Amino acid sequence: QVQLQESGPGLVKSSETLSLSCTVSGGSLSNFYWSWIRQPPGKGLEWIAYIYSTGLINYNPSLKSRVTISVDTPKNQFSLRLKSVTAADTAVYYCARNKGGYGLAAFDIWGQGTMVTVSS
Amino acid sequence: DIQMTQSPSSLSVSVGDRVTIPCRASQSISTNLNWYQQKPGKAPDLLIYDASSLQSGVPSRFSGSGSGTDFTLTISSLQPEDFATYYCQQSYSTPQTFGQGTKLEIK
């Protein structure tokens, strides 16, 4: 079955850029939307952005000025870059699949999550 | 943005209880409402999508109802493994937003 795995540094310095990748195994990126979602410690979930396998993108307006999402179909990966990070960006970052091939959808498959801490 | 409200933030319940967890949207979202279960240190798991459709592999004791602005997740007979935090999420419009969660605690 399809599995997702996040990778990237667990510690990022304040004002620098957070970079994460999500590798899709057991299936193809094609014909689905893929999202990044984050969860600060002890808090709720925040959707960051989604990307379609062909490159169609939608960002959360609250983060749009700092976020870039991209896809590498041959590698079966998609990635997140968040620039100018602050302590408020400290969170567990999840990659997820949007269900049914729709952008606006439930998230039916999730990665295990990766904790990213922003240090001063 | 559509605000999703989950109140209360925690519920004290017992094994075997019938549990209802409410979720309210700040505007009508039709039936574009999804429910997740999250256990400590784990990613959320999708339970219910489109307000009332059971995700494959999810036990039938979970059910969802509602439309418009008011929704409910029901657990018909609470099992020990159901103690967790439950989140609702709207997929009606972007940005997709989540409620703050309801945590089920042992009474």
Side-chain angles (χ1 to χ4, degrees):
Chain A
Q1 72 278 23
V2 175
Q3 294 183 314
L4 308 181
Q5 178 67 58
E6 303 90 351
S7 59
L11 190 63
V12 181
K13 291 184 179 179
S14 183
S15 79
E16 295 190 346
T17 297
L18 177 161
S19 296
L20 298 173
S21 291
C22 181
T23 301
V24 179
S25 59
S28 172
L29 274 177
S30 299
N31 303 316
F32 282 96
Y33 287 84
W34 305 89
S35 286
W36 287 98
I37 297 158
R38 70 181 182 178
Q39 185 172 36
K43 296 189 177 180
L45 298 153
E46 179 181 33
W47 171 77
I48 300 170
Y50 68 59
I51 189 166
Y52 190 59
S53 51
T54 57
L56 178 69
I57 290 169
N58 192 280
Y59 294 119
N60 189 324
S62 69
L63 296 166
K64 186 174 183 177
S65 64
R66 298 194 292 131
V67 172
T68 303
I69 191 172
S70 59
V71 65
D72 187 335
T73 305
K75 288 187 177 180
N76 242 25
Q77 285 183 344
F78 62 105
S79 298
L80 174 75
R81 287 172 56 87
L82 179 65
K83 65 182 183 181
S84 304
V85 297
T86 70
D89 296 309
T90 293
V92 176
Y93 285 76
Y94 295 102
C95 56
R97 189 180 78 172
N98 298 35
K99 184 177 175 66
Y102 300 102
L104 286 170
F107 306 107
D108 63 345
I109 301 175
W110 295 65
Q112 64 184 25
T114 187
M115 180 68 201
V116 179
T117 301
V118 178
S119 68
S120 55
Chain B
D1 298 4
I2 296 175
Q3 305 303 316
M4 305 302 297
T5 301
Q6 290 186 251
S7 183
S9 59
S10 65
L11 276 173
S12 293
V13 294
S14 300
V15 173
D17 284 353
R18 179 180 179 86
V19 178
T20 58
I21 299 172
C23 173
R24 174 166 287 178
S26 61
Q27 66 182 73
S28 178
I29 57 171
S30 186
T31 56
N32 298 117
L33 190 283
N34 312 298
W35 289 98
Y36 301 85
Q37 177 193 68
Q38 187 178 34
K39 296 181 179 179
K42 300 293 187 182
D45 286 322
L46 178 63
L47 300 174
I48 301 287
Y49 63 95
D50 294 343
S52 60
S53 296
L54 192 67
Q55 173 69 358
S56 176
V58 174
S60 58
R61 63 180 180 273
F62 291 94
S63 63
S65 63
S67 66
T69 59
D70 292 299
F71 301 86
T72 301
L73 174 70
T74 300
I75 310 172
S76 60
S77 179
L78 195 73
Q79 299 302 299
E81 61 268 30
D82 299 336
F83 287 96
T85 301
Y86 293 84
Y87 292 94
C88 60
Q89 172 240 338
Q90 64 83 14
S91 51
Y92 179 81
S93 68
T94 191
Q96 301 172 72
T97 47
F98 293 84
Q100 284 304 105
T102 295
K103 184 178 181 179
L104 296 187
E105 299 175 327
I106 301 174
K107 184 182 289 184

